[in-house]
Amino acid sequence: MRDMERDEDGHGRAGRALSGLAVAVGCVLFLGSFAWAAFLYRPFTVPTDSMAPTIGIGDRVLAQRIAGGEVRRGDVVVFEDRVWGNDPMIKRVVGIGGDKVECCDRQGRLTINGVAVEEPYLHTPGQASPSGFSATVPPDRLFLLGDHRITSVDSRTHMTDGGQGTVPRDAVRARVDAKAWPLSGWGMIERPGAFDSLPGGTSRPGPLPLIVTCAVVGAVLILGGAAYGPLARRLAGRGKAAVPHG
């Protein structure tokens, strides 16, 4: 009987040690993921429907802090520019320095340096813009359009402001990686494949999926480790009650 009790005590100590380790690792993962996200990402609320259907009015998005030099065609970016009103705005980059951006070709598509771009993210299929335009993007600047081309106030509207309606690269504050709210629309913002064939290609998504995974694993370890003690005591109590005395 004493040998059995010693075995039970040994298993109990090992179990408590493992549960404590699980809680400690879980706390590191859970809290660390939030710290990591706070360091890399900024939340923004979208005030207009100019990026619908990709991002709707009132949606909450998570945008990764990046430098303007990291921006690629197809990125949805948050930027601030004095000419545009000096308030944070969200648009899609369709042209970078040196590009000739035009609309529309015979099929109603946007073209970049003469290459037609299919844009499945547009709010209204068909004509890529209700009005034609042509612009050559100056060096270190960006040409930006909304996905809802009928309502969006974007580079087309600012063509006469100088710089062919573009904004400086260093006006970019962050790149939108995901929609966070409403929960029904939660998900990563896809990089459009239409820009892959152009020089520089498209950008890579940030580490948000890994951060979310770390947070979930951390929460599971914390809950599992915390539940071990009460569960082990209940099981031990049932085992003792089943041993006959004599």
Side-chain angles (χ1 to χ4, degrees), residues 143-168:
F143 195 90
L144 305 116
L145 297 176
D147 289 356
H148 195 343
R149 300 280 162 82
I150 295 175
T151 64
S152 178
V153 177
D154 47 39
S155 288
R156 297 168 300 172
T157 310
H158 294 276
M159 294 282 284
T160 60
D161 294 341
Q164 297 280 289
T166 61
V167 301

Side-chain angles (χ1 to χ4, degrees), residues 113-202:
N113 303 324
V115 179
V117 177
E118 299 291 343
E119 299 182 279
Y121 45 74
L122 292 182
H123 181 274
T124 306
Q127 197 83 356
S129 174
S131 57
F133 63 89
S134 177
T136 299
V137 185
D140 297 321
R141 297 183 73 90
L142 305 169
F143 195 90
L144 305 116
L145 297 176
D147 289 356
H148 195 343
R149 300 280 162 82
I150 295 175
T151 64
S152 178
V153 177
D154 47 39
S155 288
R156 297 168 300 172
T157 310
H158 294 276
M159 294 282 284
T160 60
D161 294 341
Q164 297 280 289
T166 61
V167 301
R169 275 186 176 270
D170 59 13
V172 173
R173 299 290 175 262
R175 178 172 53 218
V176 178
D177 248 8
K179 289 193 293 185
W181 188 264
L183 291 178
S184 59
W186 160 263
M188 298 293 289
I189 302 294
E190 294 184 3
R191 270 53 172 179
F195 296 92
D196 284 339
S197 61
L198 296 171
T202 52

Side-chain angles (χ1 to χ4, degrees), residues 66 69 111 132 175 235 238:
I66 62 168
T111 65
R175 178 172 53 218
L235 292 175
R238 288 181 179 177

Side-chain angles (χ1 to χ4, degrees), residues 39 48 72 78 93 147 172 211:
F39 177 74
T48 71
R72 298 289 183 270
V78 179
V93 176
D147 289 356
V172 173
I211 292 173

Side-chain angles (χ1 to χ4, degrees), residues 67-91:
E70 299 177 59
V71 175
R72 298 289 183 270
R73 301 179 193 87
D75 286 345
V76 177
V77 298
V78 179
F79 65 98
E80 296 178 22
D81 185 68
R82 179 180 53 81
V83 176
W84 292 45
N86 218 31
D87 293 320
M89 302 185 73
I90 297 180
K91 303 292 181 187

Side-chain angles (χ1 to χ4, degrees), residues 194-244:
F195 296 92
D196 284 339
S197 61
L198 296 171
T202 52
S203 63
R204 298 177 62 85
L208 187 59
L210 178 59
I211 292 173
V212 172
T213 299
C214 287
V216 171
V217 172
V220 170
L221 288 173
I222 292 170
L223 294 174
Y228 171 81
L231 182 61
R233 286 193 294 272
R234 176 173 293 185
L235 292 175
R238 288 181 179 177
K240 289 179 181 180
V243 176

